[in-house]
């Protein structure tokens, strides 16, 4: 059985899994969440690359036919290096997501992301010269809130308003971290009611689906099989992942040579 590999720093990549279950119901996947070392948004570029390479190595050792980098920080900071390093097709969430957002935006586009993503400048370069007004903004508290099981906590709304309440002129906002769709309820309360929110995972999965179809690599009849690996607390991940995916999840522990 040939799998699709998906990795993220933690829970955020499960939004990619949700999109895969919707658009690729016959495909099997292996998910890796590096929960022992999150959040990646606070790490250096060299650390992010090292961790991403470890996950690529792990997935390539498990019979995957394609890898989706379901992490906005990795996708926007070290993707060129990963493409050279990876021996199989690899797709990130940022490039498909930004192209979809540019087509959707009318006048002003905003990107919200981790501090490392904003610092790396990928979105700024990608949007430069696109004849759109744009702003890129870091929202560093979102990932820790989500990873600590507080996505539904009332505190997420005032924090979202603190970050986003002045983005009222943006007609489209890119959720530049795959964790952020897990708190869209709070984000929507912080921005104008008609603002479009772009989930990069959906665009990435559509891109992956097109690649599989054109390369004759897609499964058409096999039932979906799923495996989850995390580097941190498995029971905590299972509890939150089961809620996000609305099905019981049992993950396995993965041990890196340097988990901290």
């Amino acid at each position: 059985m040939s799998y699709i590999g998906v990795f993220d720093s933690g829970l955020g990549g499960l939004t990619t899994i949700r999109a895969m279950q919707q658009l690729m119901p016959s495909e099997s996947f292996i998910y890796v969440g590096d929960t022992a070392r999150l959040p990646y948004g606070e790490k250096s570029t060299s650390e992010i690359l090292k961790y991403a390479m470890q996950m690529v190595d792990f997935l390539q050792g498990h019979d995957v036919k394609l890898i989706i980098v379901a992490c906005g920080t990795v996708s926007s900071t070290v993707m060129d290096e990963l493409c050279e390093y990876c021996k199989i097709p690899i797709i990130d969430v940022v490039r498909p997501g930004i192209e979809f957002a540019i087509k959707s935006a009318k006048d002003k586009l905003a990107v919200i992301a981790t501090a490392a993503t904003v610092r790396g400048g990928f979105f700024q370069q990608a949007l430069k010269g696109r004849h759109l007004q744009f702003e890129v903004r870091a929202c560093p508290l979102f990932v820790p809130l989500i990873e600590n099981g507080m996505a539904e906590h009332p505190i997420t709304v005032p924090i979202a308003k603190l970050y986003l309440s002045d983005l009222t002129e943006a007609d489209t906002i890119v959720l530049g971290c795959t964790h952020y769709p897990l708190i869209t309820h709070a984000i929507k309360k912080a921005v104008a009611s008609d603002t479009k929110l772009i989930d990069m995972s959906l665009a990435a999965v559509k891109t992956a689906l097109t690649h599989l179809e054109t390369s004759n690599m897609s499964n058409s009849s096999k039932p979906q099989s799923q495996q989850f690996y995390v580097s941190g607390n498995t029971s905590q991940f299972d509890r939150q992942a089961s809620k996000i995916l609305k099905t019981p999840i049992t993950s396995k522990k993965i041990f890196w040579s340097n988990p901290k």
Side-chain angles (χ1 to χ4, degrees):
M1 180 179 292
S2 189
Y3 294 85
I4 296 172
V6 182
F7 75 81
D8 181 40
S9 62
L11 293 167
L14 296 177
T15 59
T16 302
I17 297 299
R18 286 195 310 199
M20 289 174 62
Q21 291 175 332
Q22 175 187 348
L23 299 176
M24 304 176 174
S26 298
E27 296 290 345
S28 299
F29 62 83
I30 298 175
Y31 183 84
V32 179
D34 193 13
T35 53
R37 301 186 292 204
L38 62 81
Y40 278 16
E42 299 175 1
K43 301 293 190 292
S44 68
T45 301
S46 61
E47 287 177 307
I48 294 167
L49 179 59
K50 179 180 179 180
Y51 301 161
M53 284 179 170
Q54 283 185 316
M55 288 186 280
V56 165
D57 286 342
F58 179 84
L59 289 169
Q60 288 187 142
H62 284 73
D63 189 33
V64 298
K65 58 186 176 183
L66 177 144
I67 293 175
I68 300 177
V69 181
C71 175
T73 299
V74 173
S75 296
S76 61
T77 56
V78 298
M79 199 62 204
D80 290 341
E81 292 88 341
L82 278 189
C83 287
E84 290 186 11
Y85 184 76
C86 192
K87 298 178 177 66
I88 60 173
I90 184 167
I91 293 170
D92 68 282
V93 290
V94 165
R95 286 159 182 81
I98 199 67
E99 290 302 321
F100 182 79
I102 289 169
K103 293 176 183 177
S104 300
K106 295 179 181 179
D107 300 307
K108 185 174 182 179
L109 176 68
V111 179
I112 58 175
T114 67
T117 294
V118 174
R119 187 170 62 246
F122 173 84
F123 281 105
Q124 294 90 322
Q125 289 298 316
L127 293 169
K128 189 177 180 179
R130 294 290 192 128
H131 306 293
L132 275 173
Q133 295 183 58
F134 70 88
E135 180 176 348
V136 182
R137 180 171 298 184
C139 302
L141 288 178
F142 284 171
V143 171
L145 281 171
I146 293 164
E147 289 290 339
N148 283 284
M150 299 177 69
E152 302 294 333
H153 194 282
I155 199 172
T156 60
V157 174
I159 290 175
K161 289 181 178 180
L162 179 66
Y163 284 142
L164 309 175
S165 60
D166 62 336
L167 291 180
T168 53
E169 294 183 4
D171 58 81
T172 303
I173 296 178
V174 179
L175 305 180
C177 171
T178 52
H179 281 75
Y180 294 178
L182 299 175
I183 55 168
T184 51
H185 64 285
I187 294 171
K188 286 179 179 178
K189 290 182 179 180
V191 300
S193 59
D194 58 348
T195 302
K196 295 180 183 177
L197 301 182
I198 303 298
D199 182 346
M200 299 188 303
S201 290
L202 193 58
V205 171
K206 288 180 179 178
T207 299
L209 181 59
T210 298
H211 175 83
L212 292 176
E213 290 174 343
T214 57
S215 304
N216 294 317
M217 295 169 60
S218 60
N219 291 337
S220 58
S221 59
K222 289 182 180 179
Q224 188 183 74
S225 173
Q226 58 188 32
Q227 297 180 32
F228 295 88
Y229 294 86
V230 294
S231 58
N233 186 300
T234 55
S235 60
Q236 180 179 337
F237 176 86
D238 294 349
R239 184 170 57 253
Q240 296 187 71
S242 298
K243 185 176 180 180
I244 292 167
L245 297 178
K246 302 185 187 307
T247 187
I249 299 300
T250 302
S251 62
K252 298 178 182 178
K253 180 83 170 183
I254 184 171
F255 294 93
W256 305 124
S257 57
N258 53 342
K260 295 296 182 181

